Amino acid sequence: MKKLVAIATLACLAVLASCSRNPIYADRSSEPQTQFDFNGHCATMCRSSLQKYAFENYGPKRFKAWQKKFRAELKDALGVSIIEQQLKGYKPTLEQIDSEDLGFAVRERWQIWTEPDVNIPFIMIRPKTVEGKVPLVITPHGHGKNTEQYAGVYVSPEDSISAVDGQRNMAYLFAQQGFITITPAARGFAGTMIDEDSEDVSCCALLMCRDALVGRTPVGDRVWDIMKILDWALAELPVDENKVIVTGNSGGGTQSVYAGAIDTRINICMPASSFSSYEASIGVQEHCACNYVPGVMNLGDMGDVLGLVAPRPLCLIQGKDDPIFPVEGAKEQFETIRKVYEAAGVPDNCELYIGPEGHRYYFDGADAFVQKHL
């Protein structure tokens, strides 16, 4: 009987989803346009997307069914399901490279083989005064040549000023509070570039093309890397499994969005400078290829995707003057998130923090949210 009820519930969800947020898809005018407008056409495509899992005001039971079905399809879209099938039971191997005494902590360089032929460099900062199990903060980075900036490693005085003023050294700052922090290099950056001597910041575009051939995506690859790091950290480090935090800025925020959506071991998710509606941001503006997940808008908008984090605490950190992830789109999508958290019975577990400047990290907002929910 329970199985029949579950099947009926999912069927009901499918019908509701098909009738939700895709009015233009059925009503697009067949009247030919006199002149091609590329951006206008892209906006129309976004507005015409199917949005199969656009959130409606489901009650608690239907909310759980919605999450289960949506999360599975999102994993498929990211390509994470394919990696899971190919590497079922795979356990990563690691190697420590060096160690540096910071006074209050030890900063270590490691590499982890998240696939048998993929070794990802990362920096871990371990506070010296660890007693018992402590929170873990994973801080995936954004686009920039210095992939270690978040961990307080700078390549020039200008790099240091940029990191400190923009509070992008969040791994270092969280470590000062007694947390273990891990800053992984994103797939397609640093040692995982096709040509390490390239003048480019990354090889994201080429990685996207080659991933597409086998049903994978760069952001899905990076989420997989975070998941494998988390496998190891929970097994080998003095980490409190109920206090796992993922936060990053820009491209690191995008990784945080999808990691938080599909990996329920992440207890607090705080994407920064990466949240708006798909249309207002990557749908009509030029962005790096690694931001794109084929078909994601046929599943839902960004607010729907982040609804998969519920009931776990979620803080969206945005700058009021961010030009590439507009705050108005963030406010619009946060209304969807608010409804999801109400359905989950924890309306106070989600927050939109709007900083006073532009595309940067706001540690004050992130820190306040962490202290509140830990």
Side-chain angles (χ1 to χ4, degrees), residues 56 103 136 160 163 224 234 238 245 271 320 350 371:
E56 302 297 333
L136 169 68
S160 172
W224 171 262
L234 290 174
I245 302 161
K320 74 177 183 65
C350 64
Q371 299 304 326

Side-chain angles (χ1 to χ4, degrees), residues 303-326:
D304 303 303
V305 169
L306 280 162
L308 295 177
V309 177
R312 296 164 287 147
L314 170 68
C315 182
L316 292 315
I317 302 168
Q318 289 298 118
K320 74 177 183 65
D321 298 321
D322 190 331
I324 59 175
F325 288 94

Side-chain angles (χ1 to χ4, degrees), residues 189-335:
F189 287 77
T192 61
M193 289 183 68
I194 291 172
D195 181 355
E196 293 184 50
D197 297 322
S198 171
E199 290 301 314
D200 294 331
V201 170
S202 71
C203 63
C204 292
L206 187 53
L207 178 60
M208 178 69 182
C209 293
R210 294 184 179 175
D211 266 348
L213 289 172
V214 294
R216 291 172 55 164
T217 64
V219 70
D221 294 345
R222 294 165 188 171
V223 168
W224 171 262
D225 295 338
I226 290 171
M227 293 168 68
K228 292 297 104 181
I229 288 171
L230 187 50
D231 286 349
W232 170 75
L234 290 174
E236 302 295 336
L237 299 178
V239 167
D240 187 335
E241 64 180 10
N242 297 310
K243 296 180 180 179
V244 175
I245 302 161
V246 171
T247 185
N249 193 68
S250 193
T254 298
Q255 294 174 61
S256 301
V257 166
Y258 292 108
I262 70 171
D263 193 334
T264 57
R265 297 175 299 174
I266 293 168
N267 307 111
I268 297 179
C269 181
M270 300 190 298
S273 295
S274 56
F275 176 60
S276 190
S277 68
Y278 282 124
E279 179 188 343
S281 54
I282 66 174
V284 294
Q285 298 190 46
E286 185 175 353
H287 279 253
C288 182
C290 66
N291 284 277
Y292 298 88
V293 177
V296 71
M297 287 198 71
N298 286 329
L299 300 179
D301 212 325
M302 200 177 297
D304 303 303
V305 169
L306 280 162
L308 295 177
V309 177
R312 296 164 287 147
L314 170 68
C315 182
L316 292 315
I317 302 168
Q318 289 298 118
K320 74 177 183 65
D321 298 321
D322 190 331
I324 59 175
F325 288 94
V327 73
E328 291 307 315
K331 290 177 180 177
E332 168 204 306
Q333 289 300 302
F334 186 70
E335 288 304 304

